[in-house]
Amino acid sequence: DAGGREALDSVFAHVVGAEAAIVRPQFFSGTHAIACALFALLRPGHELLAVAGPPYDTLEEVIGIRGSDNVGSLKDFGITYREVPLAADGGLDWDALAHAVRPETGCALIQRSCGYSWRKSLGIDDIRRTIDLIKMQNPNCKVMVDNCYGEFVETSEPPMVGADLIAGSLIKNPGGTIAPCGGYVAGKKDLVAAAAARLSAPGLGVEFGSAPGHVMRAMFQGLFLAPQMVGEAVKVGCFSVPPLRSRKLCIQLQVTVLYYPQGGLLIAEVMSAKGYRVQPLPRAPRHDIVQAVELGNRERLIAFCEVVQQTCPVGSFIKPIAGETPGYASEVIFADGTFMDGSTSELSCDGPLRDPYAVFCQGGTHWTQWALVLGEVLKVI
């Protein structure tokens, strides 16, 4: 077990260009891994600065900006919070960011993916530029990247361009649809050790955290498959589809793929052709595996998620129900009929039941499954 842990940590660190990594099934979500990283970097009197607008819903209670008094949030430990609003175009506000860091800013948080915000996901070049700006203002300010949904979409990872720590979930990209649970923190060796101490206890750190043999095997195999699975999710694909005129969507898509081998994400292409607002646009560069579609009302959002669930290979008989979920600020609906429970790399979608009623689609081990989903979606919305 110890040898397996050490090998997996070493391989993962090498792959993402970090000094060290801790990859464990004991991280039970991406939020858990990110929280351990933030508590490793921040101390009483520090400020946490979010540089890409508001963070993902589940981090609000970790930070202490929503409903988390006296449960051990960063705010409870005397750590303040501030954020740099996004620019009008949904990207980073570079002018504001150039003067945003203060002496007390202990950590700058970069959220690579869009989360539940209608904004652009960040590419490695944007992350590099952001880190350079932060370090110019305060070299002692640590940079933490929420790397969820962005792993292996590009040929570089944030530690390669100066990030001090990154964190994420194994049931997203790096699990390769195989890992059944877990998460990771990677980056500077001393900071990874500090995050490990938050996961376990000071003095225990990376030396502990057993994993049954079948789980360890799945984590290795998932990492091995991850680049291919991410490539498929992005390729869901990399096909340009002309305006749709036929109800026989799946047949048409199969034909058009033969003649149009390049282009934007299939979901974006189809939904934008039907008049829906999408983010990112069909032929825009891809920096994560998330595709957002603005549906405009509660009924369409629920209908979209119901069709996704019905078209999944597992649990197709289940009807998704919107409701309150721990960590989220509003009602949320999830569709996730996956072989690995919660594996967003397979095929899933979710969205908060609030304006503008956008659905956030992830994953896709092959483009034909999304073609089937979209064919059914267009019948009900």
Side-chain angles (χ1 to χ4, degrees):
D1 184 57
R5 290 199 312 267
E6 292 167 5
L8 184 58
D9 290 349
S10 177
V11 169
F12 196 95
H14 177 74
V15 167
V16 301
E19 293 178 4
I22 176 170
V23 186
R24 295 290 185 276
Q26 285 79 15
F27 286 118
F28 53 77
S29 68
T31 300
H32 185 197
I34 294 163
C36 289
L38 291 175
F39 275 97
L41 295 172
L42 292 158
R43 296 293 179 267
H46 280 170
E47 174 191 70
L48 172 64
L49 177 69
V51 303
Y56 189 62
D57 281 31
T58 58
L59 287 178
E60 293 178 353
E61 293 183 69
V62 173
I63 295 166
I65 55 179
R66 174 173 55 85
S68 55
D69 291 340
N70 301 316
V71 295
S73 67
L74 293 173
K75 181 181 178 181
D76 286 343
F77 285 89
I79 296 163
T80 59
Y81 171 77
R82 186 166 51 93
E83 64 188 47
V84 180
L86 296 169
D89 65 354
L92 295 176
D93 188 335
W94 298 109
D95 292 337
L97 185 56
H99 305 93
V101 181
R102 298 172 179 170
E104 67 270 22
T105 307
C107 174
L109 173 64
I110 302 174
Q111 183 171 292
R112 185 170 178 177
S113 187
C114 60
Y116 277 167
S117 299
W118 193 267
R119 73 160 174 88
K120 299 175 182 177
S121 298
L122 302 180
I124 289 296
D125 287 341
D126 285 335
I127 293 172
R128 183 201 309 270
R129 183 179 173 186
T130 302
I131 293 171
D132 290 345
L133 279 174
I134 291 165
K135 297 292 186 179
M136 284 174 58
Q137 295 170 71
N138 182 356
N140 296 319
C141 177
K142 305 302 183 185
V143 178
M144 158 69 197
V145 178
D146 171 355
N147 210 31
C148 289
Y149 299 108
E151 299 94 345
F152 313 136
V153 175
E154 299 187 57
T155 55
S156 298
E157 294 296 325
M160 301 175 186
V161 295
D164 295 292
L165 277 184
I166 62 172
S169 167
L170 296 187
I171 61 167
K172 299 182 177 69
N173 301 21
T177 77
I178 299 294
C181 57
Y184 71 90
V185 176
K188 302 291 178 59
K189 186 175 182 178
D190 60 328
L191 300 177
V192 169
R198 302 277 69 78
L199 174 64
S200 55
L204 302 182
V206 297
E207 302 301 326
F208 288 80
S210 65
H214 69 284
V215 173
M216 186 63 71
R217 188 272 304 163
M219 292 164 73
F220 274 103
Q221 186 180 7
L223 180 60
F224 178 78
L225 291 174
Q228 177 180 339
M229 292 298 102
V230 170
E232 289 298 314
V234 173
K235 189 176 71 177
V236 163
C238 289
F239 309 122
S240 175
V241 183
L244 302 177
R245 296 183 179 88
S246 171
R247 297 295 292 176
K248 298 178 181 179
L249 177 65
C250 296
I251 296 175
Q252 181 176 357
L253 289 174
Q254 291 173 28
V255 172
T256 56
V257 165
L258 298 176
Y259 298 100
Y260 298 89
Q262 297 182 5
L265 195 66
L266 181 62
I267 304 165
E269 192 79 56
V270 171
M271 297 308 291
S272 62
K274 289 298 182 180
Y276 290 93
R277 190 172 170 226
V278 299
Q279 179 71 260
L281 296 173
R283 294 171 181 81
R286 302 276 158 178
H287 303 303
D288 64 9
I289 66 166
V290 179
Q291 178 63 51
V293 181
E294 185 179 301
L295 297 171
N297 62 49
R298 179 187 180 98
E299 291 71 29
R300 285 198 196 101
L301 176 54
I302 292 174
F304 190 107
C305 292
E306 287 179 348
V307 169
V308 170
Q309 187 72 38
Q310 291 165 9
T311 319
C312 282
V314 179
S316 59
F317 59 91
I318 296 170
K319 183 177 182 179
I321 301 295
E324 295 183 1
T325 302
Y328 290 86
S330 59
E331 283 188 295
V332 187
I333 185 168
F334 299 90
D336 185 12
T338 53
F339 288 95
M340 293 299 169
D341 190 29
S343 175
T344 54
S345 296
E346 287 185 51
L347 185 145
S348 67
C349 72
D350 50 82
L353 275 294
R354 62 184 185 228
D355 193 63
Y357 295 98
V359 66
F360 297 85
C361 307
Q362 307 97 19
T365 54
H366 44 85
W367 74 270
T368 50
Q369 188 176 357
W370 269 115
L372 291 168
V373 170
L374 291 169
E376 296 302 311
V377 161
L378 294 180
K379 297 176 183 178
V380 300
I381 66 171

